[in-house]
Amino acid sequence: MRFDIVTIFPEFFGGPPNNGILGHGILERALRIGQAEAHTHDLRSFTYDRHRTVDDRPFGGGEGMVLKAQPIFECVESLGIAPKAERDTTRESVILLSAQGKRFTQATARHLAKLDRVVLICGRYEGVDERVSQLLCDDELSIGDYVLSGGELGAAVIVDAVVRLLPGVLGHADSSKYESFGEGDEPTDTMTEDGVPRSTHGSGGLLDYPHYTRPSEFRGTTIPEVLGNGDHSVIRKWRRQAALAKTLANRPDLLPSADLNDNDRAFLNKLGFNRKH
Ligand code: SAM
């Protein structure tokens, strides 16, 4: 899979080895071994004036400057991407990072991970000439309900979230499946008859369960006893309940669409889920 990032700050992204966001960890490895490609494109290379101007004042007045349409169009067109009307969006997508965009979620990441190519356009200043969204982009994506000073952090978030879903990038094939916001085939196809997940992981649309490592006692807090007793059925049950409790505490909005069975609901009722929601 190939990413093209259009930005006035290409150096922000770096690359393997040990440089910037693309030069570290899982991303660095995925790029180094060729499971993903990421190319940055300097918007200022598509300007024609001495000052390499990419922004201009907005029509109608108002605060600040806006990124012009022309350098962005010429940059994207130079990448060999089909014009919007002819684009096969099951293979490639052009996306504008925008606080006004649809919310980027794990489901969006799973969708993008199926494509061959994604172009990410990073806005700056007060935003981007609207014709970029209207005539060039397939989607506008926001990484959250807050305003950043540029789209680069959003592009980095999207590249990271998508690349770790690509086949072969994570060491264990199921690692991404059973994380927080995972697609969650539990409890339907991985539950035992007594309603305990077969997987040792959380998921099912829930947040991940809490993890602990050695030492078993740290600064006066001991790990839950059940995790040390070696009984994997009991551990799985504890993990499921811990994931339910964590989701209820931090993200109760996820519970109505989570894949819950009767045991899960009974456990949540005990925690007061029905009373609160
Ligand atoms: N005037 C815009 C507004 O109120 O929606 C904010 C522009 S922001 C200062 C500059 C650029 O940062 C945007 O064009 C976009 O590319 C990026 N950006 C800001 N917040 C973002 C978010 N939550 N998600 C993705 N990109 C964001």
Side-chain angles (χ1 to χ4, degrees):
M1 172 169 194
R2 172 177 169 144
F3 291 92
D4 289 281
I5 303 166
V6 177
T7 171
I8 59 169
F9 295 125
E11 65 280 8
F12 172 89
F13 295 91
N18 306 325
N19 182 9
I21 189 89
L22 298 176
H24 293 88
I26 301 273
L27 276 182
E28 189 272 343
R29 191 171 144 270
L31 297 176
R32 184 168 35 83
I33 64 180
Q35 272 159 320
E37 278 179 57
H39 302 268
T40 52
H41 306 281
D42 186 351
L43 207 48
R44 293 194 194 279
S45 304
F46 298 86
T47 58
Y48 301 100
D49 65 313
R50 208 155 48 92
H51 302 291
R52 308 180 83 205
T53 309
V54 290
D55 58 328
D56 202 356
R57 286 194 299 275
F59 276 115
E63 292 302 306
M65 304 293 272
V66 170
L67 279 181
K68 284 148 61 85
Q70 167 268 320
I72 299 178
F73 270 72
E74 289 190 23
C75 179
V76 173
E77 284 160 1
S78 77
L79 301 175
I81 296 284
K84 182 169 171 168
E86 294 157 32
R87 201 171 293 147
D88 176 359
T89 53
T90 62
R91 290 186 43 248
E92 54 188 21
S93 187
V94 178
I95 291 166
L96 175 66
L97 276 300
S98 168
Q100 302 138 42
K102 295 176 196 145
R103 183 85 67 85
F104 175 72
T105 64
Q106 190 68 13
T108 326
R110 281 195 288 271
H111 165 71
L112 296 180
K114 293 184 188 131
L115 307 186
D116 299 333
R117 195 164 179 195
V118 172
V119 178
L120 298 168
I121 300 172
C122 304
R124 276 273 153 183
Y125 313 118
E126 281 309 313
V128 178
D129 187 309
E130 187 65 14
R131 285 160 297 188
V132 169
S133 167
Q134 291 172 325
L135 306 177
L136 190 62
C137 293
D138 303 299
D139 243 325
E140 288 179 74
L141 290 180
S142 163
I143 61 161
D145 291 348
Y146 37 76
V147 178
L148 300 163
S149 50
E152 286 75 12
L153 284 167
V157 165
I158 292 176
V159 173
D160 189 305
V162 173
V163 165
R164 63 197 306 286
L165 297 178
L166 298 177
V169 167
L170 295 185
H172 192 289
D174 278 344
S175 294
S176 61
K177 195 169 166 188
Y178 296 117
E179 290 179 317
S180 300
F181 318 110
E183 255 171 316
D185 48 5
E186 295 170 355
T188 42
D189 74 0
T190 61
M191 283 300 212
T192 59
E193 300 72 46
D194 55 353
V196 177
R198 257 181 248 285
S199 160
T200 55
H201 293 64
S203 185
L206 303 174
L207 300 180
D208 199 2
Y209 56 79
H211 303 267
Y212 297 89
T213 185
R214 287 180 291 184
S216 59
E217 189 188 333
F218 180 70
R219 301 206 175 178
T221 298
T222 309
I223 62 163
E225 206 180 322
V226 62
L227 296 180
N229 76 6
D231 183 337
H232 288 287
S233 146
V234 178
I235 291 172
R236 283 195 295 271
K237 183 171 177 193
W238 179 88
R239 285 179 167 170
R240 182 72 182 178
Q241 294 187 341
L244 288 162
K246 188 111 179 172
T247 308
L248 178 61
N250 291 348
R251 292 291 307 275
D253 56 300
L254 296 175
L255 288 172
S257 55
D259 201 0
L260 304 177
N261 67 10
D262 290 345
N263 290 343
D264 295 335
R265 281 191 208 90
F267 179 72
L268 286 170
N269 284 348
K270 272 202 278 177
L271 299 182
F273 176 56
N274 272 351
R275 283 194 297 281
K276 278 199 251 162
H277 301 89

